[in-house]
Amino acid sequence: MASGAGRRRGHELVPLAALISREMKNEKMEKPSVRCGHAAQSRKGEDYFLVKTDCQRIFDGHNGNAAAIFTREHLLSHILSAVPRGLGREEWFQALPRALVAGFVKTDKEFQSETSGTTATFVIVDAWTVTVASVGDSRCILDTQGGGISTLTVDHRLEENVEERERVTASGGEVGRLSIAGGAEIGPLRCWPGGLCLSRSIGDMDVGEFIVPIPYVKQVKLSNAGGRLIIASDGIWDALSSEMAAKSCRGLPAELAARQVVKEALRTRGLKDDTTCIVVDIIPPESSPPPSPLPKKPNKLRSFLFRKSSRDSANKLSKKLSAVGIVEELFEEGSAMLAERLGIDEGAGQTTSGLFTCGVCQVDLAPSEGISVHAGSIFSTSSKPWQGPFLCAACRNKKDAMEGKRPSGVK
């Protein structure tokens, strides 16, 4: 009877396998395609980059290339090892910021060179969601199809970043310019000892552990119009503003766009530093409807640009924002305090064997060995010693040094 009724209403019965196949096809069509290109000009041989499917990274080394090479080879695996297994899609996105912090700190902790250091800009593209983690002054910008340009990183240069200057001095460092004969001061603000212009990097152990590897992390969701990411070392940004870089390559495919950005930077400033650029295009499916044009008076919408939303209302807001080509901010955090970045989690890191794992380096800990990341922290919202995440002794020493609680290098 059901079959006959279906035919009378003009419907056909469809095999379950065909429905599943159709659903899978439709789901694939909803995801954008990703195309990327890169270009570089070397002066000192200290810029390195690595492009993998759904993951783009730039490392701008200084005082040699050892830190950049080490980070390129180990950072991704350290981040992935910090992501809990068996997570669903939404849980994966929520766990990623903490895993990025742990991966950056572990990479820095394992790097043994005394003088070499590197910036790092790490980008993960997963369908419409873009997650960026960065230390230093390599930058990632987003150029949307509507022409809006947003910066997805924060420059950790002492000259421009007042909050970082205050943090470094509070942790035991000194900030000042280079002094020359006669007492005159020249050049940008630097951290002493060492004379580094950056407040965050991987490596640079000779400068002091208050130069921290804890990344600024930003996670956004693009509208169905897609967009273009431009990830580049300071050889680009010392020559071009974000707007100049984006405008110089609009209309070009990713590979040619990266070359054009490098060419424009060299034309403006010359080859004074290693200059590296990666361009990533997030392209909507052909079947997607074109985005609605922005209204002529967009002032009322500016409050929505990169606005934060709760996870519960994310889907509803996302549909509204996608209709007008606006980017939705899912997560943003730039604190240099490890206790804040790892959060509070009762029973965090416990394995099936009853052991715990260090929240940074993922080594196994007996319950009596782990030290809560919040122990003794002024940022802790609880003094319960069993609240995780927990740190091994070595990572606890690293945390104390980054916060200026002990002299750098002293355990």
Side-chain angles (χ1 to χ4, degrees):
M1 290 180 62
S3 176
R7 281 194 290 270
R8 280 195 301 272
R9 293 190 183 104
H11 297 293
E12 289 186 37
L13 289 178
V14 180
L16 179 60
L19 284 174
I20 293 175
S21 175
R22 185 182 302 170
E23 287 297 320
M24 292 179 65
K25 183 177 181 181
N26 289 338
E27 187 174 322
K28 289 181 180 179
M29 290 299 292
E30 292 175 357
K31 295 181 179 180
S33 59
V34 177
R35 298 175 187 171
C36 63
H38 54 80
Q41 287 288 328
S42 178
R43 180 178 175 86
K44 296 180 289 185
E46 295 175 341
D47 270 15
Y48 283 81
F49 66 91
L50 182 63
V51 178
K52 286 181 175 287
T53 303
D54 294 342
C55 179
Q56 295 79 35
R57 291 163 283 168
I58 279 186
F59 312 107
D60 179 7
H62 44 262
N63 293 331
N65 59 12
I69 294 174
F70 185 89
T71 304
R72 182 185 66 173
E73 294 176 349
H74 297 282
L75 180 59
L76 176 59
S77 61
H78 289 344
I79 291 170
L80 294 179
S81 69
V83 179
R85 300 295 180 263
L87 298 181
R89 186 173 180 81
E90 287 302 315
E91 293 171 323
W92 148 261
F93 284 130
Q94 292 179 27
L96 193 53
R98 177 190 283 187
L100 286 163
V101 170
F104 271 65
V105 175
K106 182 180 180 180
T107 302
D108 178 81
K109 177 172 166 281
E110 290 187 351
F111 181 62
Q112 299 299 313
S113 173
E114 290 297 316
T115 59
S116 180
T118 185
T119 72
T121 298
F122 189 102
V123 182
I124 297 176
V125 180
D126 189 333
W128 301 105
T129 301
V130 177
T131 307
V132 182
S134 63
V135 292
D137 56 0
S138 295
R139 190 184 306 169
C140 174
I141 66 170
L142 169 65
D143 185 13
T144 63
Q145 293 298 326
I149 300 171
S150 303
T151 304
L152 303 185
T153 53
V154 165
D155 287 351
H156 294 127
R157 286 189 177 185
L158 292 166
E159 183 72 32
E160 291 91 11
N161 199 316
V162 177
E163 291 183 0
E164 286 295 283
R165 291 203 298 269
E166 294 175 348
R167 180 189 63 78
V168 168
T169 54
S171 299
E174 295 183 10
V175 176
R177 304 186 193 279
L178 183 64
S179 296
I180 59 174
E185 295 183 341
I186 61 171
L189 287 173
R190 300 173 183 271
C191 178
W192 305 96
L196 188 66
C197 297
L198 306 174
S199 61
R200 302 195 195 189
S201 69
I202 293 176
D204 292 308
M205 294 298 294
D206 59 323
V207 179
E209 289 183 88
F210 38 75
I211 303 299
V212 301
I214 300 177
Y216 168 87
V217 178
K218 194 179 190 78
Q219 189 176 76
V220 299
K221 186 173 183 180
L222 276 61
S223 73
N224 59 9
R228 164 170 285 180
L229 299 172
I230 300 178
I231 313 158
S233 63
D234 63 340
I236 296 293
W237 308 119
D238 286 343
L240 304 176
S241 67
S242 298
E243 290 74 15
M244 290 170 64
K247 291 178 181 178
S248 70
C249 64
R250 282 181 182 156
L252 297 176
E255 187 72 35
L256 292 178
R259 295 178 189 174
Q260 181 60 31
V261 172
V262 171
K263 180 180 178 181
E264 187 65 19
L266 296 181
R267 185 189 68 80
T268 302
R269 188 170 179 262
L271 186 60
K272 295 185 178 181
D273 194 3
D274 292 339
T275 303
T276 303
C277 178
I278 297 174
V279 171
V280 182
D281 286 336
I282 303 170
I283 305 169
E286 293 182 1
S287 61
S288 295
S292 302
L294 288 170
K296 292 182 179 180
K297 296 182 179 180
N299 293 338
K300 293 182 180 180
L301 294 173
R302 287 177 183 172
S303 61
F304 288 101
L305 189 62
F306 279 101
R307 66 171 292 184
K308 290 188 176 181
S309 64
S310 66
R311 293 284 176 179
D312 294 337
S313 61
N315 290 335
K316 294 181 181 179
L317 180 61
S318 177
K319 292 179 181 178
K320 294 179 181 179
L321 297 179
S322 294
V324 291
I326 293 180
V327 177
E328 176 191 358
E329 180 182 295
L330 302 178
F331 180 90
E332 180 183 22
E333 182 58 70
S335 170
M337 297 297 172
L338 195 58
E340 284 189 325
R341 302 302 296 276
L342 295 184
I344 293 178
D345 191 359
E346 292 190 37
Q350 188 167 11
T351 65
T352 55
S353 64
L355 298 175
F356 289 78
T357 59
C358 173
V360 170
C361 66
Q362 310 303 310
V363 299
D364 288 340
L365 304 168
S368 60
E369 294 176 338
I371 307 169
S372 172
V373 72
H374 306 287
S377 172
I378 62 174
F379 295 100
S380 176
T381 58
S382 173
S383 59
K384 297 178 181 179
W386 57 84
Q387 282 192 315
F390 298 95
L391 301 178
C392 65
C395 288
R396 175 67 190 200
N397 285 334
K398 177 71 177 174
K399 173 183 178 293
D400 288 346
M402 290 191 296
E403 296 176 4
K405 295 178 181 178
R406 67 169 174 82
S408 178
V410 177
K411 298 184 179 180

